[in-house]
Amino acid sequence: MTGPAVDALVLLLDAPLMAFGVPVVDQHGVTGRFPGVAQMAGLLGNALGWRHADTASLQRLQERLRLAAVVLRDGTPMRDFQTVDLSQPHLVGTGWTTRGRRQDRGGGEATSGTHIRYRWYRTGEAIMVAFRLDPPEERPTLTDLETALDEPFRPLFIGRKACLPAAPLLVRHCRAASLADALALGVADRQAAMRQAGVHSLEAPEFADAEWPEGEPGFPLAAGDFDRGIVYDRRDWRNQLHGGERRVRRGRIRLKEPQP
């Protein structure tokens, strides 16, 4: 079943390291299987030149995102062990931001002593993402986002600052019968680009693992073709906390280019 045609942007997330943020528990920063709406809102906001202080704009963009994703190339998980001794003389009391600005620490327990944490990544993976905006006419529009992704205000990363894209993120802006068809169009573009580059081992299988919003038209509807799930990928941008859940479906979809 499909609904009215939709305008969508299709992105390719392809990087040596990627992380798809989920709630952190203690020192364990795990990664999800697919990108979430808060992560995508942050990435798009970064491309537009927004800052973390632009909480109302980021919150509104997150609310408008309807996001689907499919795994083109399966990667492997990797755990990064990180530790620091904040009692060292040059680290006591003061830190520095990546922009070279002084940032003093507070007086809590986390501001001194030795800290250990684990950060998880996906390595060698490629994921195709298609999203639309609801409502579509509100600013920023998909055209605004397309322009920003083509010439982003700042360098973009996929989850963490170490996760730099291996290729431009933007694949295409398209009008399709559904987000499922937009994904198929993006995959066809990707395959054509690889053929043109002389790469013959095309990475996109005919069927692939995907995640899409519950109730989104164009995806499998038959019982047994998908699993229902809840992801905790929303963010309360004003208070800088994970703050909400989203109902999704996961299953294998056919990556077939739709007929014009």
Side-chain angles (χ1 to χ4, degrees), residues 127-210:
I127 291 184
M128 189 75 75
V129 173
F131 68 88
R132 61 184 179 87
L133 297 175
D134 184 19
E137 65 277 6
E138 188 175 318
R139 302 293 298 269
T141 64
L142 286 180
T143 300
D144 296 331
L145 298 177
E146 178 185 14
T147 302
L149 288 167
D150 196 37
E151 295 187 24
F153 187 85
R154 303 186 193 91
L156 303 178
F157 50 88
I158 306 172
R160 300 191 179 109
K161 291 182 179 178
C163 304
L164 301 179
L169 296 179
L170 180 63
V171 175
R172 66 182 296 167
H173 182 177
C174 65
R175 186 164 181 79
S178 65
L179 288 183
D181 278 358
L183 284 170
L185 289 169
V187 170
D189 278 5
R190 171 71 170 167
Q191 291 177 322
M194 294 180 73
R195 280 194 294 269
Q196 189 173 14
V199 179
H200 299 293
S201 58
L202 301 183
E203 60 193 10
E206 183 176 1
F207 293 90
D209 294 332

Side-chain angles (χ1 to χ4, degrees), residues 22-210:
V22 294
V24 175
V25 178
D26 296 330
Q27 70 267 46
H28 298 279
V30 298
T31 176
R33 189 70 179 88
F34 295 93
V37 291
Q39 177 176 358
M40 292 304 300
L43 186 152
L44 296 170
N46 194 25
L48 288 163
W50 294 352
R51 305 174 62 185
H52 270 283
D54 297 318
T55 56
S57 299
L58 289 163
Q59 194 76 47
R60 182 57 185 157
L61 180 57
Q62 175 182 284
E63 292 170 359
R64 297 171 60 210
L65 279 172
R66 301 293 181 270
L67 178 72
V70 63
V71 178
L72 295 188
R73 186 178 66 240
D74 207 6
T76 56
M78 187 196 82
R79 189 186 70 172
D80 183 29
F81 171 75
Q82 302 175 352
T83 184
V84 61
D85 178 6
L86 293 177
S87 63
Q88 297 179 86
H90 66 285
L91 294 177
V92 173
T94 299
W96 295 88
T97 69
T98 54
R99 294 180 176 80
R101 296 176 183 170
R102 174 172 167 165
Q103 187 173 53
D104 294 333
R105 296 191 182 91
E109 294 181 356
T111 61
S112 62
T114 300
H115 292 264
I116 291 175
R117 66 182 189 178
Y118 305 94
R119 291 293 180 264
W120 286 86
Y121 296 87
R122 301 289 301 179
T123 66
E125 196 155 84
I127 291 184
M128 189 75 75
V129 173
F131 68 88
R132 61 184 179 87
L133 297 175
D134 184 19
E137 65 277 6
E138 188 175 318
R139 302 293 298 269
T141 64
L142 286 180
T143 300
D144 296 331
L145 298 177
E146 178 185 14
T147 302
L149 288 167
D150 196 37
E151 295 187 24
F153 187 85
R154 303 186 193 91
L156 303 178
F157 50 88
I158 306 172
R160 300 191 179 109
K161 291 182 179 178
C163 304
L164 301 179
L169 296 179
L170 180 63
V171 175
R172 66 182 296 167
H173 182 177
C174 65
R175 186 164 181 79
S178 65
L179 288 183
D181 278 358
L183 284 170
L185 289 169
V187 170
D189 278 5
R190 171 71 170 167
Q191 291 177 322
M194 294 180 73
R195 280 194 294 269
Q196 189 173 14
V199 179
H200 299 293
S201 58
L202 301 183
E203 60 193 10
E206 183 176 1
F207 293 90
D209 294 332

